[in-house]
Amino acid sequence: MARPDKAAAVAELTDKFRSSNAAVLTEYRGLTVAQLKTLRRSLGENAQYAVVKNTLTKIAANEAGITLDDQLFAGPTAVAFVTGDPVESAKGLRDFAKDNPNLVIKGGVLDGKALSADEIKKLADLESREVLLSKLAGAMKGKQSQAASVFQALPSKLVRTVDALRAKQDEQGGAE
């Protein structure tokens, strides 16, 4: 029979998995408390980094409908639960891991889909959501101004063509 404290921990982890856009599992062996504090700050405001028990985390992930590879639960595990932009948190983890090789990104989940460590690193290489949206807006604005130029050019081209036809008819009429 499950102890009440373990059942509560599983329920809390299950809720975190369900309410998060992404979760990244890491191994933190060898990191000091000060380094973990720095890591938590580097993840951004929309992420929580928690040291977890492997068995309870695996049960919570299954209850949340997430299937993760058993290899992710080997060794000491901590999970970054991301409620905001997963790219920002992935960048924070990647950059921290470059400076602190004791942090190992094991894998994770993004919108219910399991990700490998390499896929998380690729996610970190993406630009943030805000940058991508601003680029999209700029591209759309550029296309709108191109369309406006085309629509503006059509009537003036028509007027020039009509004037050229009229001039040609006047020449032909005067030549006769």
Side-chain angles (χ1 to χ4, degrees), residues 1-157:
M1 186 155 177
R3 293 192 343 223
D5 57 334
K6 288 186 179 183
V10 168
E12 181 182 349
L13 287 170
T14 302
D15 185 48
K16 285 184 180 182
F17 272 114
R18 286 183 178 148
S19 64
S20 299
N21 298 340
V24 181
L25 283 79
T26 63
E27 183 174 325
Y28 63 93
R29 185 186 335 232
L31 293 176
T32 65
V33 172
Q35 289 172 322
L36 288 173
K37 189 175 183 180
T38 303
L39 172 60
R40 284 184 173 100
R41 278 194 303 257
S42 71
L43 290 177
E45 297 176 8
N46 298 319
Q48 264 188 320
Y49 190 73
V51 174
V52 295
K53 293 192 178 284
N54 288 335
T55 307
L56 301 180
T57 305
K58 187 174 179 183
I59 292 168
N62 287 335
E63 286 185 10
I66 299 168
T67 305
L68 295 172
D69 189 11
D70 289 341
Q71 294 176 350
L72 296 177
F73 299 103
T77 304
V79 182
F81 293 102
V82 183
T83 55
D85 185 11
V87 173
E88 177 186 350
S89 297
K91 283 179 195 249
L93 284 168
R94 178 200 59 198
D95 296 343
F96 186 86
K98 282 181 185 175
D99 297 335
N100 301 282
N102 287 334
L103 180 74
V104 178
I105 298 172
K106 297 179 180 182
V109 61
L110 175 64
D111 293 328
K113 181 189 176 287
L115 298 176
S116 68
D118 289 335
E119 290 172 321
I120 291 172
K121 289 174 185 168
K122 287 179 186 174
L123 181 67
D125 291 337
L126 291 176
E127 293 175 329
S128 71
R129 183 176 189 271
E130 289 77 21
V131 171
L132 291 174
L133 286 173
S134 65
K135 283 185 175 183
L136 177 63
M140 291 174 68
K141 182 179 178 186
K143 293 297 179 191
Q144 288 176 343
S145 63
Q146 285 177 343
S149 297
V150 167
F151 292 137
Q152 190 176 19
L154 288 175
S156 63
K157 187 173 182 179

